[in-house]
Amino acid sequence: MGLFEKKKPADDVEAVQPEKYTNEADSGDFVPDEGAVQAETFVVGDGWVAKAQRLAGKFGVEQRGIERVPSDERTNDGMSQIGTLWLSANMVVSSFAIGALAYPIFYLGFIDTILIIFFVNLIGITPVCFFSTFGPRFGLRQMVLSRFYFGWYGVKIIAVFNILACIGWSSVNVIVGAQLFNAVNHNMPGWAGILVIAVSTLIITAFGYKIVHTYERWSWIPCFIIFMIILGEFAKSGHFQNIPMGVGKSEAGAALSFAASVYGFATGWTSYAADYTVYQPVGRSRKSIFLWTFAGLSFPLLFTQMLGAAVATAMSIDDGKNAYMDGYESSGIGGLLAAVIVPPLGKFGQFCLVILALSIIANNCPNIYSVSLTLQLLARATAKVPRFLWTLVGTVIYIAIAIPGYNHFESVLENFMLVIGYWLAIYEGISLSEHIFFKRGFSGYNPADYTTPSKLPPGFAAILAFCIGAMGAILGMAQVWFTGPIGKLCGTKYGGDVGFELAFSFSAISFCFLRYFEKKHFGR
């Protein structure tokens, strides 16, 4: 039956199913299993789907998709695996790249960069931590949970945005990894590096939840060691430059735009959050899950981005005429890292770059695992296609995007991250408003309703509020191809990006007003 149906002896502590964790102070009332789907049902029948599921089960592939996880199939694994998943997913070169872009793209000083990285990351990861607590409580994936905010049909629009997010982040990440391979061996084409990372990610995510958690539990260790080596070598070089903080509207605009990039990366995990806690027992302490997620996200994001910001300051030496800038211009972030560790460490430094390139696998695993679940949500027909087949489809799509986009990393990264920040700010504004003001906490949910459209919100208020939030994002955005009227007021020539602030506030305020009348009229 596979990893999730494998019978274990009763004396195996991790195999013993918890009865009910109602003794925990914040676990709430017991949540019944109505609407949950037992694992045995996936292999019943003579159709191609059942046959594919049976074949997958023989190889230990997770057969469950967006179906609710019953309480008796939850594992008793420690909560540390929640923290290590996010630790590995963010202890990667993609996160380092965010901090490193502060100087060459936004021309910020070092201290203001550090302050932005610290405070904006803490704001950005808070929704991820909060929604992670929903997984054990209801056994529902994040996009399925979103039906309780956007309705049966409205959530399909959100699903499309999430698919774009998963595919887009995966494309951007493999480009970074391919640049690292190219920095080690200039004869290695970008498409080859992209294929190495993408195929490796596909193998892990196809097997599913348990293998993803197992891989992420350990993959952060070599990456952390290498980042410490980079820190030591850069400190020893003496090339750090304390670039002074700017002043005036130009500084304000650059700071706001960089903050939008940082926020977009940090909060980008929100739409996946509950996907990685659904197999936790229903009574898990919400406080513990929140704190494990917070620790797993905050440490790698702050550490790698601050390190990237510090290393990038060396590009300012001699007005940009230095090995660091040369490396960055020739091979992007990979070239910048190579300038730090290859000259002093030689072949070992090149080996470190290869390991960092492979760290992209840990970063992309949540993207590709979650995109397979989101694709199932689009229609009843797509829900019938096994999850592991959708991982293949998602992988093929992002490879097709990444290979032609290989030589345009900076523009793709900046523009795409800002777009991600916008839609997620709207999603958070609507979801949090529904949970706090209309559901009034966890007791306002009946998870058994997740497959019944007539018992879910109609979704009119959410979709209209989403459009209003998008209008706020347009008014406040500041990108190369467009600067909104409010964004223009927040800086000089290029303005300042306040799109995600306006997107959140516009969507939250309008949703509260619209949802009041919607619920009053429809009664749900």
Side-chain angles (χ1 to χ4, degrees), residues 416-475:
F416 186 78
M417 280 176 49
L418 290 174
V419 171
I420 295 305
Y422 299 148
W423 95 266
L424 281 169
I426 299 170
Y427 174 83
E428 292 162 0
I430 293 171
S431 301
L432 292 173
S433 296
E434 173 71 21
H435 176 80
I436 295 170
F437 300 112
F438 298 97
K439 292 287 190 291
R440 297 186 182 277
F442 288 86
S443 61
Y445 297 80
N446 181 9
D449 294 340
Y450 83 99
T451 56
T452 310
S454 61
K455 294 183 179 180
L456 296 168
F460 300 119
I463 296 306
L464 185 55
F466 191 94
C467 295
I468 295 172
M471 181 177 64
I474 294 171
L475 291 173

Side-chain angles (χ1 to χ4, degrees), residues 2 340 478:
V340 178

Side-chain angles (χ1 to χ4, degrees), residues 46-66:
D46 296 320
W48 75 269
V49 173
K51 291 178 180 178
Q53 291 281 29
R54 286 195 290 269
L55 178 63
K58 292 178 180 179
F59 293 96
V61 173
E62 180 189 10
Q63 297 157 317
R64 184 179 299 279
I66 58 174

